[in-house]
Each structure stands twice: as structure tokens, then as C-alpha cells.
């Protein structure tokens, strides 16, 4: 029997096995952002009630995202906005695990855990997560081993330094080359540790230790990231590279976010991590329809 995992990424029919759930990557997919943090970049505290995480609100937002066409929900308990204060592993577990359990009980959607913390990876796997999304690309002590043991696919993202300092002085000789070299190296390290190639996604990490110019250069040359050969995830939703061009506040960045998602998808990004699921699903349907007629 041929398993999906053996087919892996690449041409039509591509996809990834997420703990038994099939993630179709033959066309662009939408990952909805569920921030279970009181202090996130653009929607901090939206799911909190009197300082406490509200699982009712988590389920309500998830319901809307699933009904809107999200095929993945990304659950994160550590804010990685520039200058954010680190959370303890216990705090992160307390936020993320009940949310994943509640979501798993209610929805069939693939759940992604946005974490760099080995104990959170382990507990999230037991709770029903189908994907590990690590902005530190499994560089924390024990993270690679935890991800390997989980058997889950992983998204490896490029980030220069740490959230606390990453925006202080972003400098690259050639940002595109450096991100490609980094992602290739992490891909190799993870495969050497035993994570199969078919389980690895890559992400240039828009906004993580990069100026607006760096971010636009990475989007313009996204084919270089795609060329590494793994499925690519892009997170552009509401990011400050938008404000650098058109000075919109967070609540007025939807049209620009849709344009960026559309550009990334048409260049070959297969997963778009977004706040505004319904609108992005429509935009990406236009990319998918156009791709159907390409020859
Ligand atoms: C990204 C991300 C964030 C991204 C991946 C925000 C957790 C900042 N951005 N994960 N996480 N890619 N893979 O503005 O771009 O959403 S948090």
C-alpha cells in the first residue's frame, strides 16, 4: 500500500499527513490564527475574559474560521511580537493545551501548535495537534528531539535572533541568500536527526528580524525559497511591512493583507497564515482557479 507520506510534496496530488489527517497541498490552503495570548501583535487578548483565557471565545472564533474554509488552525500561547516578554513553559502549557483539547473535541480541522517549547510539543501531540509550527525552527534545546518523537510534520521558520531583540538592527548582506542558506541547513539538520523530508515545511519568516525592504525582497524572490523543494508557508497577515508602504493601522490592513497573500500564493506558497480567513479563502480561490487553466 502506498501511503500519503510516501507521495510527499511536489507535483499535483501533493500533501502532508498530519497525524492521520490529510493536508491537501495541491492548492493554497488557509491557516487561521488563534492567539491564546493576552498580548499578541495584532489581536492581543481578544480571546480573554477578565484576564483569563475563554475557551468559549476560542471555540467561537474557531467555528467562524472553520466555517469560512480554514483547513488548519494555528494555536499559539507565546507572543512573538517584537520586544515581547518570554512566557514560562508552564504558562504556555496552561494556555495552549486546554485550547487544543477543546478544539480537537469539537472540530476535524488540522490543529497546528505554534511553539518552540519541547514540553508543549509533547503535550500538544497527545492533545491532538497535527502540526508543529516553530518560529525558532526547532533550535531550542530538546525541540528537535521532541518534534521527531511526536511524529508530526513541522514548519521551520527563519528568524534572526530572538523576538526581544530581532528588530533592533536587522542586517543582511543578501537577505534572500541568507534565508535560503539557513532554511536549507535546518532542513538538513532535521533530516539528519530523523525527521522525514515529507514532514518538513519551510517559511521565510516575514517580519522576524527583517526591515520592510527585507520582507519585500523575500516576497519578490519567494521562488528561491520554494526552490528548496519543500512546501512553503507564508505569514503576511497585517504585518508592519504593510504600514511601511501605506501607513494603515492594524484594523485597516485587510486589503493589503489579501494582496500579499495572493502574491505569495501565486508564487507558489501553499499555506497562508492569516487572521481574516473568510476573505483570504476567497482571494486564494482566484489563485486556484487561475492555476487550473495554466498550461
Ligand atoms: C508567523 C508565525 C507569527 C509567520 C509562521 C504575526 C507564529 C506574528 N508569524 N508562524 N507566527 N510564520 N510559521 O504577526 O510568519 O502573526 S506571529
Amino acid at each position: 500500500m502506498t501511503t500519503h507520506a510516501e507521495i510527499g510534496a511536489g507535483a499535483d496530488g501533493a500533501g502532508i499527513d498530519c497525524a492521520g489527517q490529510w493536508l491537501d497541498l495541491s492548492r493554497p490552503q488557509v491557516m487561521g490564527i488563534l492567539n491564546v495570548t493576552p498580548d499578541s501583535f495584532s489581536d492581543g487578548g481578544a480571546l480573554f475574559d477578565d484576564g483569563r483565557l475563554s475557551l468559549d471565545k476560542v471555540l467561537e472564533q474557531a467555528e467562524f474560521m472553520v466555517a469560512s474554509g480554514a483547513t488548519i488552525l494555528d494555536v499559539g500561547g507565546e507572543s512573538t511580537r517584537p520586544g515581547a516578554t518570554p512566557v514560562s513553559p508552564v504558562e504556555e502549557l496552561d494556555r495552549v493545551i486546554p485550547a487544543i483539547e477543546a478544539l480537537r473535541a469539537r472540530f476535524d480541522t488540522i490543529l497546528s501548535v505554534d511553539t518552540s517549547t519541547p514540553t508543549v510539543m509533547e503535550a500538544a501531540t497527545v492533545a491532538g495537534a497535527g502540526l508543529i509550527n516553530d518560529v525558532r525552527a526547532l533550535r531550542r534545546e530538546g525541540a528537535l528531539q521532541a518534534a521527531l518523537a511526536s511524529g508530526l510534520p513541522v514548519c521551520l521558520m527563519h528568524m534572526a535572533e530572538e523576538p526581544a531583540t530581532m528588530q533592533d538592527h536587522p542586517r543582511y548582506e543578501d537577505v534572500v541568500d541568507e534565508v535560503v542558506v539557513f532554511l536549507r541547513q535546518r532542513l538538513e539538520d532535521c533530516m539528519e536527526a530523523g525527521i522525514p523530508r515529507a514532514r518538513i515545511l519551510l517559511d521565510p519568516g516575514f517580519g522576524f528580524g527583517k526591515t520592510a525592504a527585507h520582507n519585500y525582497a523575500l516576497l519578490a524572490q519567494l521562488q528561491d525559497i520554494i526552490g528548496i523543494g519543500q512546501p512553503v508557508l507564508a505569514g503576511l497577515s497585517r504585518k508592519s511591512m504593510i504600514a511601511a508602504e501605506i501607513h494603515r493601522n492594524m484594523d485597516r490592513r485587510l486589503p493589503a493583507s489579501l494582496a500579499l497573500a495572493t502574491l505569495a500564493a501565486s508564487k507558489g506558497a501553499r499555506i497562508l497564515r492569516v487572521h481574516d480567513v473568510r476573505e483570504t479563502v476567497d482571494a486564494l480561490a482566484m489563485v486556484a482557479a487561475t492555476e487550473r487553466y495554466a498550461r
Side-chain angles (χ1 to χ4, degrees):
M1 194 182 88
T2 306
T3 66
H4 286 311
E6 285 164 359
I7 298 166
D12 284 356
I16 293 192
D17 181 359
C18 297
Q21 288 175 287
W22 186 242
L23 174 60
D24 171 23
L25 294 178
S26 66
R27 59 191 185 85
Q29 301 291 335
V30 172
M31 169 187 271
I33 300 171
L34 278 177
N35 278 320
V36 294
T37 54
D39 61 344
S40 262
F41 177 56
S42 77
D43 57 356
L47 304 177
F48 281 70
D49 241 348
D50 291 332
R52 292 201 46 193
L53 178 65
S54 160
L55 289 180
D56 284 342
K57 287 190 175 176
V58 170
L59 290 170
E60 193 184 328
Q61 185 170 331
E63 173 80 57
F64 181 58
M65 288 179 161
V66 170
S68 302
T71 44
I72 311 164
L73 299 174
D74 191 38
V75 183
E78 180 209 11
S79 174
T80 44
R81 81 184 147 75
T85 40
V87 294
S88 73
V90 171
E91 221 175 325
E92 207 190 329
L93 280 168
D94 282 350
R95 291 176 187 168
V96 167
I97 303 307
I100 291 180
E101 286 172 347
L103 291 162
R104 180 76 298 148
R106 179 83 80 88
F107 306 104
D108 285 334
T109 312
I110 293 165
L111 303 175
S112 157
V113 59
D114 157 19
T115 189
S116 301
T117 311
T119 51
V120 176
M121 293 175 189
E122 287 159 14
T125 305
V126 175
L131 176 70
I132 293 169
N133 175 29
D134 184 2
V135 298
R136 293 179 183 80
L138 305 178
R139 285 178 295 165
R140 250 193 202 158
E141 178 150 19
L144 218 171
Q145 293 70 24
L148 173 65
S150 76
L152 299 184
V154 295
C155 179
L156 307 174
M157 197 195 80
H158 173 272
M159 170 165 59
E161 303 180 43
E162 275 288 305
T165 54
M166 68 184 179
Q167 291 304 109
D168 291 353
H169 42 69
R171 274 190 61 119
Y172 302 86
E173 281 291 323
D174 181 320
V175 68
V176 178
D177 282 356
E178 288 174 42
V179 169
V180 167
V181 165
F182 172 89
L183 291 176
R184 273 191 200 285
Q185 184 63 53
R186 288 311 292 156
L187 172 63
E188 212 172 282
D189 294 345
C190 289
M191 286 172 56
E192 204 158 290
I195 302 178
R197 179 187 287 280
R199 261 186 233 154
I200 302 175
L201 299 146
L202 301 177
D203 184 337
F206 292 103
F208 286 85
K210 290 148 189 123
T211 64
H214 294 141
N215 290 318
Y216 284 107
L218 283 165
L219 182 57
Q221 292 303 123
L222 196 65
Q223 64 273 14
D224 292 9
I225 312 291
I226 312 258
I228 299 171
Q230 300 304 114
V232 168
L233 187 154
L236 293 150
S237 187
R238 301 183 189 172
K239 286 195 176 170
S240 60
M241 62 191 283
I242 295 169
E245 288 294 312
I246 57 172
H247 309 290
R248 299 285 186 272
N249 288 333
M250 207 55 91
D251 60 349
R252 299 193 53 219
R253 295 183 187 171
L254 175 59
S257 297
L258 295 175
L260 293 175
T262 303
L263 281 164
S266 78
K267 285 170 173 283
R270 291 290 92 171
I271 302 175
L272 283 302
R273 182 181 179 277
V274 307
H275 301 88
D276 303 286
V277 171
R278 186 180 47 173
E279 294 85 348
T280 310
V281 166
D282 279 3
L284 297 187
M286 301 301 99
V287 176
T290 307
E291 280 177 1
R292 283 205 305 278
Y293 290 91
R295 39 173 186 185

